Amino acid sequence: GAVVSQHPSWVICKSGTSVKIECRSLDFQATTMFWYRQFPKQSLMLMATSNEGSKATYEQGVEKDKFLINHASLTLSTLTVTSAHPEDSSFYICSARPRTSGRGKDYNEQFFGPGTRLTVL
Amino acid sequence: QQQVKQSPQSLIVQKGGISIINCAYENTAFDYFPWYQQFPGKGPALLIAIRPDVSEKKEGRFTISFNKSAKQFSLHIMDSQPGDSATYFCAASKTGTASKLTFGTGTRLQVTL
């Protein structure tokens, strides 16, 4: 249980185009989803937190107009990188926190997706 | 005050040995401390997590030791195996509406034969 999927797993796009990444919780409902960015050999950096039906909360330094987040349902959140440039190339990972903590599970527990590798040419 | 410091940056352990990774935090409001394992090109996977009301938690070969007064916690991997070779991240969060995770810098573990 507690599976999170991401689509696509990798994408290559031209500079100036927009790219949408989907994050789905497959077997649970997620009140909160998180979007992270990870550069090679570095840690995960939180970009934004999204709650179903409300606007995302962005971390300091993250441009909300460039990284559009939509949390349309309790199982789907999308990240759109608008007007992508080579410096946006990175590994984007989402995570989801279940609506209710399961037996033996912690309320704070987050389940991560497999990540999306974005390369902007 | 939001930082989580992790050491060492890299670690080489022989098969069957014990791998030890340490983390220290500053924010005393943190009350949830998970460890994640990440393989190249994959998302992190939760290994084990602890809350401050216990000093140790064990799940299989993985043990977390927690020292609340020192604001430190560590991961011990017993009987390390080549399949354990991965990057390990500690993290911390405080219970609340957002429960954002603050990650350590990561430790690249290599288990040799």
Side-chain angles (χ1 to χ4, degrees), chain A residues 25-55:
Chain A
S25 55
L26 298 184
D27 51 1
F28 66 96
Q29 292 183 327
T31 50
T32 307
M33 287 185 169
F34 303 85
W35 286 95
Y36 296 84
R37 185 173 180 176
Q38 186 178 36
F39 291 107
K41 298 183 180 180
Q42 292 190 20
S43 188
L44 287 81
M45 296 300 297
L46 180 65
M47 298 175 66
T49 302
S50 75
N51 292 290
E52 185 262 341
S54 62
K55 289 184 178 180

Side-chain angles (χ1 to χ4, degrees), chain A residues 32 34 36 38 41-46 49 51 59 91 93 97 106-115 117, chain B residues 31-32 36 38 41-46 51 89 93-101 103-106 108:
Chain A
T32 307
F34 303 85
Y36 296 84
Q38 186 178 36
K41 298 183 180 180
Q42 292 190 20
S43 188
L44 287 81
M45 296 300 297
L46 180 65
T49 302
N51 292 290
E59 294 299 300
F91 193 50
I93 311 171
R97 195 178 75 194
D106 194 292
Y107 173 78
N108 284 22
E109 193 167 347
Q110 292 183 27
F111 299 95
F112 283 80
R117 174 76 58 193
Chain B
D31 61 359
Y32 174 69
Y36 288 88
Q38 186 180 31
K42 305 294 184 183
L46 178 66
R51 288 222 174 232
F89 293 96
S93 71
K94 53 183 179 180
T95 301
T97 306
S99 296
K100 299 187 295 184
L101 286 170
F103 279 88
T105 49
R108 181 169 288 190

Side-chain angles (χ1 to χ4, degrees), chain A residues 69-85:
Chain A
I69 292 172
N70 184 278
H71 195 152
S73 74
L74 286 172
T75 59
L76 173 65
S77 177
T78 59
L79 168 68
T80 301
V81 183
T82 62
S83 187
H85 288 93

Side-chain angles (χ1 to χ4, degrees), chain B residues 22-69:
Chain B
N22 301 297
C23 282
Y25 63 99
E26 297 174 359
N27 189 344
T28 55
F30 287 149
D31 61 359
Y32 174 69
F33 303 90
W35 283 90
Y36 288 88
Q37 178 189 58
Q38 186 180 31
F39 293 104
K42 305 294 184 183
L46 178 66
L47 272 178
I48 186 172
I50 198 168
R51 288 222 174 232
D53 54 340
V54 297
S55 59
E56 186 175 281
K57 184 176 181 180
K58 183 177 181 180
E59 289 184 2
R61 295 186 294 111
F62 302 96
T63 300
I64 297 180
S65 297
F66 186 83
N67 186 328
K68 187 175 181 178
S69 60

